[in-house]
């Protein structure tokens, strides 16, 4: 499959058939919308993706907007999913933390390349309780706990040595005792108003099913690809 440019051209008919073998994992996925509950479908898709995408299956794009309305996006790790929503952890004084404080809404996007599926989620965001944050912080590796104290996430740093020095300082401060959670290390939960499932089909004729939260439950709509 010769390709001269950086970005592959739209696949030709021949490329599709050559690629079919490699994509067989995506071609043979059985029932893909096996529930009327989008959380159940999400868990089902996540478990499926995990078998083929072991590295950071829980990585998702998290979009927020800044004070001018300009979108911002970065990858974060999903840490929990329940019928309350989708949660993640970060620094409340980071760029995303400040954006979420000013405009507590977000969009999430998972793309599991190997199985060729995408899930999009949008909705208002709230902060997790201090107890939930404490419980998750306590589970983290000690190095990550120290790092949370040492890093002024998203702020300028003059050189790497400054960070190394701050890490050494906090290691000294917390020598021989548990590392408490910094006040600015927090969790957020996205309460979905919309969850869209997308699965690759040949010739870009993909399947899309969107769930919208309504007063009496989830409304389902199929969309043109
Ligand atoms: C695979 C991956 C996982 C990441 N997970 C997190 C995370 O869970 N929490 C976090 O604060 N940053 C995480 N990051 C770093 C963020 O993408 C980002 O650089 C950082 O949070 C600062 O974003 P901000 O300046 O928009 O606030 C991750 C990056 C990658 C590539």
């Amino acid at each position: 499959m010769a390709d001269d440019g950086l970005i592959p051209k739209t696949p030709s008919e021949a490329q599709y058939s050559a690629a079919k073998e490699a994509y067989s994992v995506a071609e043979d996925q059985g029932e893909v919308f096996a529930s009327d509950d989008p959380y159940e479908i999400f868990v089902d898709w996540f478990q499926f993706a995990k078998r083929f995408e072991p590295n950071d299956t829980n990585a998702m794009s998290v979009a927020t907007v800044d004070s001018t309305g300009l979108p911002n996006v970065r990858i974060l790790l999903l840490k929990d999913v329940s019928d309350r929503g989708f949660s993640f952890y970060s620094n409340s004084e980071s760029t995303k933390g400040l954006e979420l404080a000013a405009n507590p809404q977000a969009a999430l996007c998972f793309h599991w390349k190997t199985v060729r599926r995408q899930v999009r989620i949008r909705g208002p965001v709230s902060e997790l309780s201090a107890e939930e944050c404490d419980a998750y912080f306590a589970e983290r590796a000690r190095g990550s706990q120290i790092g949370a104290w040492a890093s002024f996430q998203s702020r300028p740093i003059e050189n790497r040595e400054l960070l190394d020095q701050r890490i050494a300082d906090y290691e000294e401060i917390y020598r021989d005792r548990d590392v408490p959670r910094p006040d600015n290390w927090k969790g957020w939960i996205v309460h979905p108003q919309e969850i869209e499932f997308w699965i690759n089909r040949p010739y870009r004729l993909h399947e899309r099913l969107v769930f919208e939260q309504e007063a009496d439950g989830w409304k389902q709509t199929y969309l043109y690809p």
Side-chain angles (χ1 to χ4, degrees), residues 146 150 161-175:
I146 294 283
E161 289 68 43
L162 222 53
L163 179 60
D164 294 341
Q165 186 55 56
R166 287 180 58 79
I167 289 169
D169 292 346
Y170 280 106
E171 272 168 355
E172 191 53 37
I173 291 169
Y174 293 116
R175 177 182 296 279

Side-chain angles (χ1 to χ4, degrees), residues 3-45:
D3 181 38
D4 299 325
L6 175 66
I7 310 294
K9 294 192 178 63
T10 301
S12 66
E13 199 71 41
Q15 284 171 324
Y16 264 123
S17 58
K20 206 165 173 188
E21 190 77 14
Y23 298 157
S24 58
V25 60
E27 299 280 329
D28 180 25
Q29 297 180 353
E31 182 61 69
V32 289
F33 303 128
S35 169
D36 286 334
D37 177 349
Y39 288 103
E40 279 182 17
I41 299 180
F42 181 84
V43 170
D44 186 42
W45 280 35

Side-chain angles (χ1 to χ4, degrees), residues 56 74-77 89-90 94-96 153-154:
D56 291 338
R74 77 290 286 161
I75 305 279
L76 300 180
L77 296 177
Y89 290 87
S90 191
S94 66
T95 301
K96 82 186 79 53
Q153 193 179 54
S154 312

Side-chain angles (χ1 to χ4, degrees), residues 165-204:
Q165 186 55 56
R166 287 180 58 79
I167 289 169
D169 292 346
Y170 280 106
E171 272 168 355
E172 191 53 37
I173 291 169
Y174 293 116
R175 177 182 296 279
D176 302 328
R177 58 191 178 107
D178 288 344
V179 183
R181 176 176 64 88
D183 285 341
N184 64 10
W185 194 89
K186 288 190 178 166
W188 290 261
I189 181 162
V190 181
H191 308 282
Q193 285 174 341
E194 250 180 61
I195 306 182
E196 185 201 308
F197 296 91
W198 178 105
I199 182 158
N200 179 82
R201 296 296 182 207
Y203 307 114
R204 309 275 191 252

